Amino acid sequence: MNIHKLSARALAVPALAGVLLTASAAVASAHVTISPSTGQADAYAVLTVSVPHGCDGSATTKIAIKLPDDIVTVTPTRNPLWTVAVTKKKLAQPVTDEHGSTITERDDTITYTARTPLPDHQRDAFELSLKLPDKAGQTLAFPVVQTCQKGQTGWTEVAANGQDADSLEHPAPTVTLTAASGTGQDGDHGPTAPGAPPTGQTPPAAASPGADLGVWGLGAGLLGLVAGVTALVQVRRRS
């Protein structure tokens, strides 16, 4: 087979892979997303919901973010271009918060309404401060309804068990809860710094600059001695 054809085929494979990756990234960036997409269970976090475009070219006028049932209270960040409102929902059973107060209702939906419609070719982001539930391994969905001057888009689809979330046309933003990072056992006080020796071991002593200079000086002296002896031998032979 012609070597040029082999080269062309070899180059075509990574080129095709690059096109597919770029297309996948472009599709993902077109969705309403939430970041970070992972968070530590039973810890506080600030989540950012990003809206990258309007509804089929129409400017966005409202963003309604539905909170998971496991989240009781949320503090939304102010956005000068939007008004914000919190809709509450009565709890089936009252709960006691960490301060000992009894809570009978939870924050259910955070709604941002644009003072001036967000143009289709511009993006905006909305921050939510909250405490994540203590359920490591669980994935929380934050369905978003995007209302525009013309039309509405519901980013509310949730992948079923075993289903690829990337296959959904309008996926709901999600956050996966991770286990709390441990502090280690048997006197281990956390991860060691890059390049540090394992806990309990003494790092090897580093060579001092003076020792290096002494080695170089000794080497230079030996070379000088050899050169001197060689010159003396040659002079004696000539005489």
Side-chain angles (χ1 to χ4, degrees):
M1 183 178 291
N2 191 307
I3 189 171
H4 295 293
K5 292 183 178 180
L6 287 174
S7 299
R9 291 183 179 181
L11 292 173
V13 173
L16 178 59
V19 170
L20 292 176
L21 287 174
T22 301
S24 177
V27 171
S29 65
H31 296 163
V32 169
T33 59
I34 194 168
S35 62
S37 59
T38 61
Q40 183 175 307
D42 198 32
Y44 286 93
V46 175
L47 305 178
T48 302
V49 177
S50 299
V51 178
H53 56 73
C55 309
D56 295 327
S58 180
T60 302
T61 58
K62 184 184 297 184
I63 294 293
I65 307 167
K66 182 76 166 57
L67 304 175
D69 292 339
D70 292 330
I71 294 178
V72 176
T73 182
V74 173
T75 302
T77 301
R78 293 179 59 188
N79 186 319
L81 300 178
W82 305 71
T83 61
V84 59
V86 180
T87 302
K88 294 184 176 292
K89 182 178 181 180
K90 188 175 180 62
L91 292 171
Q93 295 291 335
V95 296
T96 302
D97 65 12
E98 57 189 12
H99 303 293
S101 302
T102 300
I103 299 177
T104 59
E105 55 184 10
R106 54 174 290 272
D107 295 340
D108 182 64
T109 305
I110 309 298
T111 303
Y112 282 90
T113 302
R115 299 181 188 276
T116 302
L118 175 66
D120 174 57
H121 61 281
Q122 296 180 11
R123 66 181 299 277
D124 212 335
F126 311 91
E127 292 182 341
L128 305 176
S129 176
L130 50 84
K131 185 176 183 181
L132 297 171
D134 188 12
K135 294 183 178 181
Q138 181 181 7
T139 297
L140 304 177
F142 291 76
V144 175
V145 175
Q146 179 183 10
T147 302
C148 299
Q149 289 179 320
K150 294 182 180 180
Q152 187 180 79
T153 302
W155 303 93
T156 58
E157 298 176 1
V158 178
N161 291 334
Q163 183 181 12
D164 184 3
D166 292 336
S167 65
L168 301 176
E169 185 175 1
H170 298 102
T174 59
V175 175
T176 300
L177 303 181
T178 60
S181 56
T183 57
Q185 299 177 353
D186 301 329
D188 183 7
H189 299 289
T192 57
T199 304
Q201 295 186 11
T202 303
S208 64
D212 292 337
L213 291 175
V215 172
W216 282 106
L218 178 60
L222 291 175
L223 289 176
L225 179 60
V226 171
V229 171
T230 301
L232 180 58
V233 171
Q234 291 178 349
V235 170
R236 288 184 176 179
R237 286 181 178 177
R238 291 175 183 175
S239 61

